[in-house]
Amino acid sequence: MELKNTKHYDDETLKRWIEDESLTDRLNNKADAIRREIYGNKVFVRGLIEFSNICKNDCYYCGIRKSNDKVERYRLSEEDILACADLGYKLGYRTFVLQGGEDGHFTDDMFVDIVKKIKNLHDDVAITLSLGERSYDSYKRLFEAGADRYLLRQETSDKDHYSKLHPETMSFERRRQALRDLKEIGFQVGGGFMVGSPYQRTEDIIKDLRFLEELEPAMIGIGPYMTQHDTPFRNFPNGSFEMTLRLVSILRILFPYALIPATTALGTINPLGRERGLQAGANVLMPNLSPTMVREKYSLYDNKICTGDEAAECRACLELRIKNAGYEIVTDRGDVITYDKNTRKYS
Ligand code: SAH
């Protein structure tokens, strides 16, 4: 099995795969076979620490957007974040994902400090950051401090569509450039998009796939768009579960080597969504490690799952679910298969 698929799929084919309901099972099976050849039945888990829901941006789809005055805002202290990582380590997590709104309180120095402290305590963990758009120099400092991966979904690869999802202050070009900067610096980079976001057309999704082909990210995260009742998009419906499953499979077919999560949004739209995601070609899960007290407040969309569970419960629950779906959790950093630990580079 080649790690990279060099075959070109034309727009017609992709369109059919994306739209045709009758193809879901076939695509899922094909993708699962590819994933098993490359990653076996292993599932990598990442402990997700949602460190702040304070954000300077105003994305129309997102529940923690600046203008939403209905959310109770919170910010974890450095101490809280380190305590989450510590608990996560004991539960067997070997990757921590720090994700939050674009909260100006957190300077480069603070993140550098947090990354170094976690790495000093445990030399066998990977750190993934998901802090939004920052300068090249900022990304570089974070990488040099030891951060390994960075998640930044492009959200959409069509400029007009981008401007329908975001206010004018946010730039389509800047987001794409940030992804290229991250890749150049050496991060294992994660792109991605929402499926069924307002105004999205099939051709926009095809553009996303083309953009990803060019970027060759290590990770690709997708989930259905989910309505949040306090956003300007409150009247738009959720994205399609089945289409998201087909897209997970399309991603596995196009990017056999990639780390692809079965996302929380997929688990929210359907009670067995994450299991179905794994069976459709995903190989990563990102359970929540945030303190239970703040979970509810990181409300990107309505009815988000697992907001009441303790981290240990989440872990036990997932272990069982994954086993039942036919896979196995491993305690491992779970780097992308093309990654070389010694040089910190991937091909
Ligand atoms: N500030 C960080 C993290 C954003 S939240 C950043 O800019 O990268 C992580 C992801 O959640 C976003 O990239 C977006 O794709 C997704 N998201 C936000 N609102 C959503 C919604 N209503 N439904 C589904 N996914 C959503």
Side-chain angles (χ1 to χ4, degrees):
M1 170 64 63
E2 292 291 324
L3 295 182
K4 290 198 178 157
N5 192 341
T6 49
K7 211 167 143 191
H8 178 75
Y9 298 91
D10 59 22
D11 289 2
E12 277 296 290
T13 308
L14 293 176
K15 184 175 160 63
R16 206 173 59 245
W17 288 359
I18 294 167
E19 293 179 351
D20 190 341
E21 290 284 321
S22 73
L23 293 179
T24 309
D25 284 353
R26 225 181 311 157
L27 286 167
N28 291 174
N29 292 340
K30 186 176 161 80
D32 186 49
I34 295 172
R35 162 265 171 68
R36 280 176 192 272
E37 251 192 77
I38 295 178
Y39 286 101
N41 68 351
K42 285 185 198 159
V43 175
F44 301 126
V45 286
R46 323 304 196 185
L48 181 63
I49 304 170
E50 297 158 336
F51 62 87
S52 170
N53 70 351
I54 298 172
C55 193
K56 71 172 168 53
N57 291 332
D58 233 349
C59 310
Y60 300 139
Y61 46 84
C62 182
I64 64 167
R65 63 198 299 270
K66 179 175 84 185
S67 302
N68 184 2
D69 54 18
K70 302 269 161 49
V71 235
E72 203 185 311
R73 303 286 171 172
Y74 75 90
R75 167 188 292 146
L76 298 184
S77 65
E78 177 179 309
E79 217 182 352
D80 295 332
I81 296 172
L82 296 174
C84 287
D86 200 47
L87 171 64
Y89 192 86
K90 293 194 180 99
L91 291 171
Y93 293 107
R94 293 297 176 267
T95 290
F96 301 111
V97 182
L98 297 182
Q99 183 178 87
E102 290 197 18
D103 178 355
H105 166 83
F106 288 91
T107 58
D108 291 346
D109 284 343
M110 288 167 77
F111 282 127
V112 162
D113 198 50
I114 293 168
V115 170
K116 284 192 174 159
K117 281 191 173 138
I118 299 178
K119 286 271 177 165
N120 280 339
L121 279 174
H122 310 288
D123 61 3
D124 57 343
V125 306
I127 296 182
T128 304
L129 300 175
S130 181
L131 318 175
E133 293 167 30
R134 302 174 83 84
S135 68
Y136 187 94
D137 289 341
S138 167
Y139 288 150
K140 199 160 166 61
R141 284 195 61 198
L142 296 167
F143 185 72
E144 281 163 2
D148 301 275
R149 313 190 186 119
Y150 204 105
L151 302 177
L152 185 78
R153 293 182 175 179
Q154 76 270 20
E155 313 295 0
T156 175
S157 300
D158 180 88
K159 200 171 159 86
D160 284 342
H161 185 219
Y162 188 92
S163 69
K164 289 185 178 138
L165 299 181
H166 305 96
E168 260 176 32
T169 47
M170 296 181 69
S171 150
F172 175 71
E173 303 299 345
R174 202 166 56 224
R175 190 124 191 128
R176 290 158 82 87
Q177 190 52 44
L179 277 161
R180 295 189 180 110
D181 290 348
L182 288 161
K183 174 117 194 231
E184 185 187 302
I185 289 165
F187 282 101
Q188 292 174 54
V189 175
F193 54 94
M194 290 172 286
V195 178
S197 59
Y199 308 107
Q200 184 185 55
R201 304 159 304 172
T202 301
E203 51 199 283
D204 300 326
I205 301 180
I206 295 174
K207 281 191 179 176
D208 276 314
L209 299 174
R210 299 297 180 214
F211 173 70
L212 293 168
E213 280 178 333
E214 184 195 312
L215 183 68
E216 292 201 334
M219 307 166 287
I220 307 170
I222 63 167
Y225 160 73
M226 302 292 288
T227 312
Q228 207 283 354
H229 64 277
D230 288 318
T231 66
F233 285 165
R234 64 177 69 85
N235 293 323
F236 284 91
N238 290 342
S240 150
F241 174 53
E242 296 278 328
M243 188 186 280
T244 308
L245 289 178
R246 285 196 298 285
L247 273 157
V248 166
S249 297
I250 293 170
L251 290 174
R252 176 59 66 204
I253 294 165
L254 262 45
F255 308 94
Y257 66 86
L259 297 167
I260 301 174
T263 55
T264 307
L266 195 59
T268 300
I269 200 167
N270 183 294
L272 288 176
R274 284 171 303 173
E275 287 87 337
R276 292 285 306 277
L278 295 176
Q279 288 161 345
N283 61 340
V284 172
L285 286 172
M286 299 169 63
N288 207 317
L289 264 185
S290 314
T292 317
M293 265 167 51
V294 302
R295 284 207 199 169
E296 223 148 312
K297 301 177 190 147
Y298 198 79
S299 49
L300 306 179
Y301 45 81
D302 293 339
N303 307 315
K304 194 169 148 215
I305 50 170
C306 308
T307 49
D309 304 349
E310 293 292 341
E313 294 173 56
C314 276
R315 171 76 197 201
C317 160
L318 273 186
E319 191 109 27
L320 198 69
R321 281 167 170 264
I322 292 173
K323 225 171 136 200
N324 286 338
Y327 304 92
E328 177 201 0
I329 290 193
V330 289
T331 298
D332 189 292
R333 278 171 52 116
D335 289 296
V336 69
I337 195 154
T338 52
Y339 182 72
D340 178 343
K341 271 198 189 102
N342 298 319
T343 59
R344 294 186 81 198
K345 289 198 169 114
Y346 67 103
S347 50

